């Protein structure tokens, strides 16, 4: 008989048992469910809702069940629907009628809400650790390659010269914001719903502050209907995860491009590449491609849970049972992607000479020539036109701007003097950009020091 079956004249159909059950996926919450139940039992004893002896018997029984589950000695039963009922049934079988007192002053509605928060709080802490590892890798690459010249791109066209280190520090800033979003999300996850009951609280004199302290929550939900009926904290996490995956995907796209023969800026380590079943020469960046592909999966999880929640009246509805698969899938895939991406990046070989060679093409010093004229008093639009004509001349004559003689420069504008021949060198173009801290050696050193300080503080 179901633990809730007293009102029913006959059993549910076996088809309904299978359709209704969530134990196949929510068994992942066994530890969090037991921890929440142990704290609840302790509170019941403290408040004299059950005796101290009964409270301790329940806690000991739950502790033993936790050990057996982790030892692989427990098989969950679909007839008990979910992880909550499975554990409660195990407890009753072990300690008898005292086990039936555990659910006093509690509903599965607030029970599952606290389980998910305990689970997600733990996972966010782990993901933040993985993000810190990635930030450390990016800082290290920024330090090693602060002088490694490469083309910077807009519209995937060569634009201005930068350094590989500066490019990595751009991603440092990106993933630093991702970390901040997770820290912010954690604050809303770390609020305790236990004690809300089904939706309207309980008639028992419970101690929710004691429960929050036992479970490490920073605050309690103020409205019992809200406590059991929303999953915005989970939606927020998956949204943050989607943004993070978008950043990983963009990074992977660049690595995929850079590893192609057309760029050859990097070479993936063999351990993070795959081959072709037909073409023996191929070395494919499949790990980066798969991370890029999994981004769509995480986006799908976000739309999944948003769609589940969009039409639900307050308070709990059975639809919300389906919140866990997209949440669990997001957590596991995000963690996997962060781990393997970091290792792939750390083992990637940077082809410095090829990067520098690429800066010699594409007239990447054209903007610096235009700025030179402006500093000599030429209006910017006039300067832009002059340098545009200069680039056209170079294209027509198969030259780079670096190849022009001083006389050729002067033929486009009498403002040019001999110093232009030094200014147009790619290394000098990079070193001259100081107004925004663009790629000047001093500014990237400052950026790296700030990154080191940030990492030592978290």
């Amino acid at each position: 008989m179901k633990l809730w079956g007293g009102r029913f004249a006959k059993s549910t159909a076996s088809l309904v048992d299978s359709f209704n059950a969530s134990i196949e996926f929510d068994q992942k919450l066994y530890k969090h469910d037991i921890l929440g139940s142990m704290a609840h039992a302790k509170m019941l004893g403290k408040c004299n809702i059950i005796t101290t002896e009964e409270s301790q018997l329940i806690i000991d029984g739950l502790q033993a069940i936790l050990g057996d589950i982790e030892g692989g000695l427990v098989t969950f039963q679909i007839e008990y629907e979910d992880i909550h009922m499975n554990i409660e049934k195990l407890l009753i079988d072990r300690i008898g009628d005292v086990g039936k007192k555990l659910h006093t002053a509690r509903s599965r509605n607030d029970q599952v809400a606290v389980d998910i928060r305990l689970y997600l709080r733990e996972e966010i802490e782990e993901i933040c650790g993985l993000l810190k590892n990635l930030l450390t890798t990016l800082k290290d690459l920024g330090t090693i390659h602060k002088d490694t010249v490469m083309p910077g791109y807009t519209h995937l066209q060569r634009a201005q010269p930068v350094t590989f280190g500066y490019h990595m520090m751009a991603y440092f800033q990106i993933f630093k914001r991702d970390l901040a979003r997770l820290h912010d999300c954690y604050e809303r996850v770390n609020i305790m719903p236990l004690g809300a009951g089904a939706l309207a609280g309980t008639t028992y004199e419970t101690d929710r502050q004691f429960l929050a302290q036992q479970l490490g929550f920073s605050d309690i939900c103020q409205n019992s209907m809200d406590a059991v009926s929303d999953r915005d904290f989970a939606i927020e996490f998956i949204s943050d995860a989607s943004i993070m995956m978008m950043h990983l995907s963009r990074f992977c796209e660049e690595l995929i491009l850079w590893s192609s023969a057309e760029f050859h800026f990097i070479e993936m380590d063999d351990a993070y590449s795959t081959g072709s079943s037909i073409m023996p020469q191929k070395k494919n960046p499949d790990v980066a491609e798969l991370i890029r592909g999994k981004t769509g999966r995480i986006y799908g999880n976000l739309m999944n849970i948003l769609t589940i929640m969009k039409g639900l009246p307050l308070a709990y509805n059975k639809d919300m049972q389906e919140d866990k698969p997209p949440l669990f899938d997001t957590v596991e895939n995000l963690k996997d992607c962060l781990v393997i991406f970091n290792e792939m990046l750390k083992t990637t070989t940077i082809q410095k000479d090829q990067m520098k060679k690429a800066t010699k093409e594409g007239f990447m010093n054209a903007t610096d020539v235009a700025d030179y004229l402006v500093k000599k008093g030429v209006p910017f639009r006039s300067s832009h036109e002059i340098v545009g004509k200069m680039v056209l001349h170079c294209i027509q004559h198969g030259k780079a701007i670096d190849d022009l003689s001083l006389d050729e420069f002067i033929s486009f504008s009498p403002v040019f003097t001999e110093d232009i021949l030094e200014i147009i060198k790619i290394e000098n173009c990079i070193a001259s950009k100081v107004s925004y801290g663009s790629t000047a050696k001093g500014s990237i050193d400052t950026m790296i020091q700030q990154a080191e300080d940030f990492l030592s503080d978290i």
Side-chain angles (χ1 to χ4, degrees):
M1 181 179 178
K2 306 289 187 186
L3 294 180
W4 45 258
R7 176 254 184 269
F8 290 81
K10 64 179 182 179
S11 299
T12 52
S14 59
L15 185 61
V16 172
D17 284 342
S18 178
F19 186 71
N20 189 53
S22 60
I23 188 61
E24 181 180 351
F25 50 83
D26 70 12
Q27 61 184 276
K28 183 186 289 288
L29 297 173
Y30 74 86
K31 178 179 67 174
H32 311 93
D33 193 75
I34 289 174
L35 291 175
S37 291
M38 290 170 68
H40 183 69
K42 190 172 183 179
M43 182 275 296
L44 292 176
K46 174 182 178 292
C47 296
N48 297 315
I49 297 170
I50 63 176
T51 68
T52 303
E53 293 76 19
E54 288 171 331
S55 172
Q56 192 59 53
L57 184 60
I58 290 171
I59 292 170
D60 291 344
L62 289 169
Q63 188 69 58
I65 291 169
L66 177 59
D68 286 349
I69 293 172
E70 293 182 338
L73 303 177
V74 172
T75 301
F76 296 117
Q77 304 297 320
I78 198 170
E79 62 183 293
Y80 298 117
E81 301 177 20
D82 54 38
I83 190 61
H84 324 296
M85 289 296 195
N86 266 271
I87 289 175
E88 189 173 340
K89 182 62 169 61
L90 287 168
L91 181 67
I92 293 168
D93 288 347
R94 292 188 183 208
I95 68 172
D97 284 350
V98 173
K100 295 180 180 179
K101 297 187 177 185
L102 171 61
H103 210 55
T104 308
R106 186 176 72 170
S107 164
R108 276 189 295 178
N109 295 359
D110 60 346
Q111 188 178 357
V112 67
V114 79
D115 288 1
I116 295 173
R117 287 176 183 269
L118 287 170
Y119 160 80
L120 189 51
R121 189 176 68 181
E122 185 178 282
E123 295 296 341
I124 288 175
E125 288 175 349
E126 183 177 347
I127 291 166
C128 286
L130 297 176
L131 264 178
K132 182 177 180 181
N133 293 341
L134 177 55
L135 288 169
T136 300
T137 297
L138 290 168
K139 184 267 298 179
D140 290 344
L141 286 170
T143 302
I144 295 167
H145 294 285
K146 64 183 180 182
D147 297 317
T148 300
V149 179
M150 69 173 292
Y153 294 84
T154 65
H155 308 276
L156 203 54
Q157 304 294 314
R158 290 173 184 167
Q160 291 179 281
V162 293
T163 69
F164 184 74
Y166 194 71
H167 200 112
M168 292 301 98
M169 294 310 294
Y171 277 112
F172 184 96
Q173 296 299 320
I174 285 169
F175 288 109
K176 180 182 174 183
R177 291 194 297 274
D178 286 330
L179 182 62
R181 271 185 283 270
L182 280 184
H183 285 160
D184 195 46
C185 177
Y186 185 93
E187 293 184 13
R188 280 174 287 284
V189 172
N190 198 30
I191 300 175
M192 193 197 69
L194 201 55
L199 78 160
T202 176
T203 59
Y204 297 93
E205 291 294 328
T206 58
D207 189 339
R208 297 185 68 209
Q209 294 292 348
F210 175 79
L211 276 173
Q213 183 270 326
Q214 290 293 302
L215 294 170
F217 285 102
S218 61
D219 201 356
I220 60 174
C221 296
Q222 297 300 310
N223 184 286
S224 58
M225 292 183 72
D226 172 57
V228 298
S229 64
D230 211 338
R231 294 293 184 267
D232 55 1
F233 63 92
I235 294 170
E236 181 180 355
F237 168 77
I238 301 176
S239 176
D240 291 346
S242 296
I243 295 172
M244 198 182 314
M245 287 298 298
M246 176 268 291
H247 290 148
L248 285 174
S249 183
R250 293 185 70 181
F251 205 158
C252 284
E253 173 68 9
E254 291 195 315
L255 295 176
I256 291 163
L257 288 170
W258 291 346
S259 67
S260 68
E262 285 72 16
F263 282 80
H264 196 50
F265 287 177
I266 64 170
E267 180 159 354
M268 299 287 199
D269 190 87
D270 286 358
Y272 295 92
S273 305
T274 64
S276 165
S277 64
I278 185 173
M279 295 168 284
Q281 83 282 9
K282 292 293 293 299
K283 183 177 180 179
N284 298 328
D286 279 11
V287 171
E289 290 175 352
L290 192 54
I291 293 171
R292 189 177 59 182
K294 283 182 179 289
T295 302
R297 179 171 177 162
I298 304 305
Y299 289 1
N301 288 337
L302 178 59
M303 291 309 300
N304 183 336
I305 195 167
L306 283 168
T307 305
I308 289 167
M309 297 299 299
K310 76 174 184 64
L312 301 185
L314 300 182
Y316 183 84
N317 297 271
K318 189 67 171 181
D319 316 47
M320 292 164 67
Q321 178 171 289
E322 292 298 311
D323 61 353
K324 285 169 281 298
L327 177 61
F328 295 161
D329 186 77
T330 297
V331 166
E332 294 307 316
N333 278 283
L334 177 59
K335 289 195 300 186
D336 287 348
C337 287
L338 284 170
V339 170
I340 199 165
F341 180 86
N342 189 42
E343 294 304 312
M344 177 181 69
L345 185 61
K346 284 197 298 186
T347 57
T348 295
T349 300
I350 311 304
Q351 307 287 5
K352 296 182 182 181
D353 291 343
Q354 186 65 22
M355 284 183 172
K356 186 171 183 179
K357 179 182 176 183
T359 63
K360 302 299 183 182
E361 302 171 1
F363 307 103
M364 300 181 68
N365 46 7
T367 304
D368 293 84
V369 177
D371 289 340
Y372 171 92
L373 292 172
V374 170
K375 291 171 184 176
K376 295 281 188 175
V378 179
F380 178 76
R381 280 298 163 208
S382 299
S383 167
H384 190 285
E385 181 181 359
I386 291 167
V387 179
K389 291 178 179 179
M390 186 184 301
V391 169
L392 178 61
H393 170 83
C394 288
I395 292 171
Q396 291 172 341
H397 293 84
K399 290 185 175 184
I401 291 177
D402 311 46
D403 299 328
L404 297 178
S405 66
L406 179 58
D407 288 341
E408 286 177 295
F409 273 105
I410 293 172
S411 71
F412 288 99
S413 172
V415 171
F416 286 114
T417 57
E418 192 170 357
D419 59 343
I420 188 63
L421 300 179
E422 282 296 314
I423 286 171
I424 59 175
K425 293 179 180 179
I426 291 297
E427 293 81 359
N428 292 333
C429 290
I430 294 173
S432 67
K433 295 177 176 63
V434 294
S435 61
Y436 189 70
S438 177
T439 51
K441 182 178 180 181
S443 66
I444 195 168
D445 283 342
T446 301
M447 195 180 306
I448 290 166
Q449 183 59 56
Q450 290 172 342
E452 290 175 348
D453 294 342
F454 173 76
L455 289 167
S456 66
D457 289 340
I458 60 174

